[in-house]
Amino acid sequence: MTGYQLAENVSLAGRNTFRVAARAAMMADVSRADALAELFEFATLRDGPVLVLGEGSNLLFAGDFPGVAICLTMAGVRIVQDDGDTALVRAEAGLAWNDLVGWTLARGLVGLENMALIPGTVGASPIQNIGAYGVEVGEFIEAVEAFQRDTGQVKRLAREDCAFGYRDSLFKREADRWVVTAIELRLPRQRELRLDYAGVKEELAAMGVATPRAVHVAEAISRLRTRKLPNPALLGNAGSFFKNPVVDAARADALKVEHPALPVFPGPEGQRKLSAGWMIEACGWKGFREGDAGVAAQHALVLVNHGHASGAELLGLARRIAASVRERFGVALEPEPRIIGARFDDAA
């Protein structure tokens, strides 16, 4: 048992939620973390480009991938420690993120409910430091297990060594060095629910829930996400395409004077976070379509593939949207998905 399977010239159309056509020169399906050391002995992996692929829910292929795409399939989850008040949960990289949320809630462990229905795999979660409705996964991660390509060993990194930031981490900044194989989450059994994000309390009220528990919050947020975001199984997309930009307080205050309806949220280190979706909608992009590349009618933050849009066409549209926001608001937008085969800030 090698723990991996190799194939050449593999289509990636079914391996990315934008459903754009692209191919990988080679694909490696990996079922055991300890197989990575042997796999990376191949010159193709050691010397060439490597892409770790989960559900492909945070990627845009602007072209074919010339190297090896690695798909981690191990999907185990278990409680490692339990002191009654908290439990340490170990989840492997190939497990669907939303399945992990449901698994923890079913065992009375709370904290992940605000991140219900986020697409993607557990392995991708620390890379992007995924978050939603005021909560980030980095708050709960105790350690990340990752294969270190330059040493050929699996290493356990404590949370403080992961350099978590807003949609950022060590693993994102050093993407060519690490392959995340598992995460360990410290989850409590009791915790004050975070309900102050727009729409959550209203959704709970609509559900008839007067005294919500974590499972109710997960259900409310799942309903909100279902209404606001198109289902990638029906309409190709990667969720929110742009990060909410972070600016200093003075800049946020000045923009608020010019645009009183602009939503502004607290950001890290006294900074402010602006609503990218509001600015994009204010520029008239919501529901826009050109050929099969477009912007979702439900949410201006979501780019969509109506059928046969290429990754290059979607990237071109994203650049035009960012340019219009920069021109009107003086604010730069950054993409949330990783773009393969091009740089976002390159000239179109």
Side-chain angles (χ1 to χ4, degrees):
M1 260 308 265
T2 60
Y4 60 86
Q5 289 184 315
L6 296 172
E8 293 184 341
N9 188 27
V10 176
S11 171
L12 299 171
R15 303 246 191 177
N16 73 95
T17 58
F18 262 123
R19 301 214 302 276
V20 298
R23 303 192 77 80
M26 186 171 286
M27 172 75 75
D29 281 305
V30 180
S31 58
R32 293 204 330 262
D34 60 5
L36 288 167
E38 180 183 327
L39 188 61
F40 273 91
E41 286 298 314
F42 287 99
T44 311
L45 279 86
R46 194 172 59 245
D47 305 326
V50 171
L51 172 67
V52 181
L53 194 58
E55 291 183 354
S57 60
N58 201 46
L59 293 171
L60 174 61
F61 287 103
D64 291 338
F65 184 66
V68 183
I70 294 179
C71 184
L72 303 177
T73 62
M74 55 276 198
V77 57
R78 61 190 172 89
I79 292 175
V80 179
Q81 298 172 358
D82 191 340
D83 63 13
D85 294 325
T86 69
L88 186 65
V89 175
R90 185 181 192 276
E92 294 181 316
L95 181 67
W97 172 259
N98 196 51
D99 289 349
L100 174 62
V101 174
W103 190 93
T104 58
L105 289 172
R107 284 154 183 80
L109 300 171
V110 302
L112 306 186
E113 58 275 1
N114 288 48
M115 294 181 281
L117 217 62
I118 292 180
T121 57
V122 163
S125 65
I127 298 171
Q128 189 75 358
N129 189 17
I130 62 169
Y133 294 91
V135 179
E136 292 179 338
V137 70
E139 297 174 44
F140 302 99
I141 285 179
E142 186 156 302
V144 174
E145 181 188 282
F147 177 78
Q148 190 173 346
R149 288 177 59 182
D150 50 352
T151 66
Q153 296 179 326
V154 174
K155 187 174 180 181
R156 186 178 182 273
L157 289 90
R159 173 172 48 191
E160 54 268 25
D161 298 322
C162 296
F164 289 126
Y166 174 55
R167 302 295 176 269
D168 197 19
S169 70
L170 171 75
F171 313 106
K172 185 173 183 178
R173 292 177 219 161
E174 300 180 0
D176 293 332
R177 188 182 181 199
W178 302 98
V179 180
V180 174
T181 55
I183 64 173
E184 294 178 5
L185 300 163
R186 175 70 64 179
L187 298 173
R189 286 200 159 75
Q190 290 190 337
R191 179 176 186 264
E192 186 177 350
L193 300 175
R194 295 193 188 171
L195 308 175
D196 50 357
Y197 207 94
V200 178
K201 290 178 181 175
E202 292 82 354
E203 191 66 28
L204 288 165
M207 291 164 56
V209 178
T211 309
R213 293 182 290 118
V215 289
H216 297 128
V217 175
E219 174 64 19
I221 285 171
S222 296
R223 292 183 183 206
L224 285 167
R225 290 184 69 92
T226 300
R227 282 205 306 274
K228 288 171 64 176
L229 303 173
N231 183 345
L234 304 175
L235 185 63
N237 74 90
S240 300
F241 193 87
F242 294 102
K243 300 177 188 178
N244 286 322
V246 176
V247 300
D248 61 48
R251 179 74 184 125
D253 291 343
L255 281 167
K256 194 72 174 168
V257 170
E258 294 176 46
H259 310 279
L262 170 64
V264 177
F265 311 101
E269 299 174 357
Q271 294 178 299
R272 302 288 186 270
K273 198 181 294 183
L274 309 177
S275 171
W278 187 92
M279 291 187 288
I280 293 167
E281 185 170 348
C283 290
W285 290 104
K286 187 176 180 180
F288 175 86
R289 178 172 178 175
E290 187 173 79
D292 278 349
V295 178
Q298 302 103 306
H299 203 305
L301 208 51
V302 181
L303 268 62
V304 294
N305 178 7
H306 287 281
H308 300 287
S310 68
E313 289 169 337
L314 287 160
L315 177 58
L317 173 58
R319 287 170 171 160
R320 287 163 60 195
I321 291 169
S324 71
V325 169
R326 185 169 57 246
E327 182 178 349
R328 179 164 178 185
F329 297 97
V331 174
L333 293 183
E334 293 181 26
E336 201 164 300
R338 184 178 174 191
I339 296 168
I340 307 297
R343 284 173 52 92
F344 179 71
D345 52 5
D346 283 349

